[in-house]
Amino acid sequence: MEPWPGQPGYDALAELYDRTFPGPWQRPLDRHSVDAFADALPRGGTILDLGCGTGHVTVELAFRGFTTIGVDPSARMLEIARKRYPQRTWIAGDARFPAADPVVRATGPVSGILARFSLIHVPPDQVPAVLQSWAAHTEPGCQVLLVFHGLLESGQDVEEFPHAVARAWRWNPSTLAQALDEAGFAETWRVIVCPDQNHAYPECHLSAVRR
């Protein structure tokens, strides 16, 4: 699988993004789903936040006593995260498990992977390899939480949709759950959030555990 480029779209809009999303949560369920994810993890465990953006959720999890590593392909987003939260750990990377990074190797086993609105930017034919990379570098019991734009129309698996920053795809939750299963992760729960005046598409929060 070829490496992805950085995220020039997010680099260009990083300051606007930071002003638009000044905190970790847009809706109450965002917090609740991350709470449920965190409650399933061992205290003090290591969490990878893949697609961490400017780092708000990464830091929320660090406040709860976890070792957190924020990973993002946008250099400018990481620059903002490092400036605001210099005591936390930030590395450049894409949605794949950053196994080669010395910081990740030094932390030991990863007990949780959080991917909120990051897999949506991965070309669908590359998603299985991404999930396999997660499974290859984690142990049974590792928890995963995906948050993505849902596709609920019958008979559709994945569909590209207009995104303000970069190419993006929304997924049928069952299709993505099947991809997780084939990679070695068993679904534990899912929640669908209906569209509203600020959200054009349903959102899915999908939890799974490494078998």
Side-chain angles (χ1 to χ4, degrees):
M1 184 168 55
E2 293 298 319
W4 290 301
Q7 280 283 6
Y10 280 102
D11 288 340
L13 296 176
E15 284 76 12
L16 175 60
Y17 179 97
D18 194 45
R19 292 194 299 271
T20 303
F21 304 106
W25 320 117
Q26 289 187 265
R27 295 192 276 194
L29 186 65
D30 295 340
R31 177 189 292 274
H32 297 324
S33 72
V34 172
D35 282 344
F37 164 73
D39 286 346
L41 298 175
R43 292 304 163 196
T46 297
I47 298 172
L48 290 182
D49 186 0
L50 300 179
C52 66
T54 54
H56 295 303
V57 177
T58 318
V59 171
E60 281 286 314
L61 288 165
F63 288 158
R64 303 182 195 199
F66 297 102
T67 298
T68 57
I69 301 174
V71 183
D72 204 274
S74 167
R76 183 64 186 125
M77 298 281 259
L78 287 178
E79 184 180 341
I80 292 171
R82 289 187 180 108
K83 183 176 181 180
R84 180 174 290 130
Y85 307 113
Q87 71 277 28
R88 305 302 171 192
T89 301
W90 312 101
I91 62 175
D94 54 35
R96 287 169 290 192
F97 193 100
D101 191 280
V103 173
V104 176
R105 291 203 307 267
T107 61
V110 168
S111 57
I113 297 175
L114 181 64
R116 301 178 74 250
F117 304 108
S118 53
L119 281 184
I120 66 168
H121 295 304
V122 178
D125 64 341
Q126 298 186 31
V127 165
V130 167
L131 300 180
Q132 289 162 16
S133 79
W134 299 2
H137 299 289
T138 55
E139 299 176 354
C142 177
Q143 302 288 326
V144 167
L145 178 62
L146 307 182
V147 185
F148 55 95
H149 299 82
L151 176 63
L152 304 184
E153 290 81 351
S154 177
Q156 291 184 267
D157 293 325
V158 62
E159 176 184 81
E160 189 167 6
F161 71 93
H163 191 280
V165 182
R167 291 189 72 184
W169 291 264
R170 58 192 186 115
W171 284 81
N172 182 302
S174 294
T175 301
L176 204 48
Q178 181 178 348
L180 279 164
D181 184 74
E182 292 171 354
F185 296 92
E187 180 181 358
T188 51
W189 53 264
R190 72 177 76 172
V191 176
I192 307 295
V193 189
C194 295
D196 59 28
Q197 61 182 358
N198 297 316
H199 302 83
Y201 302 108
E203 291 177 2
C204 182
H205 299 239
L206 177 61
S207 172
V209 63
R210 174 81 160 79
R211 289 195 295 270

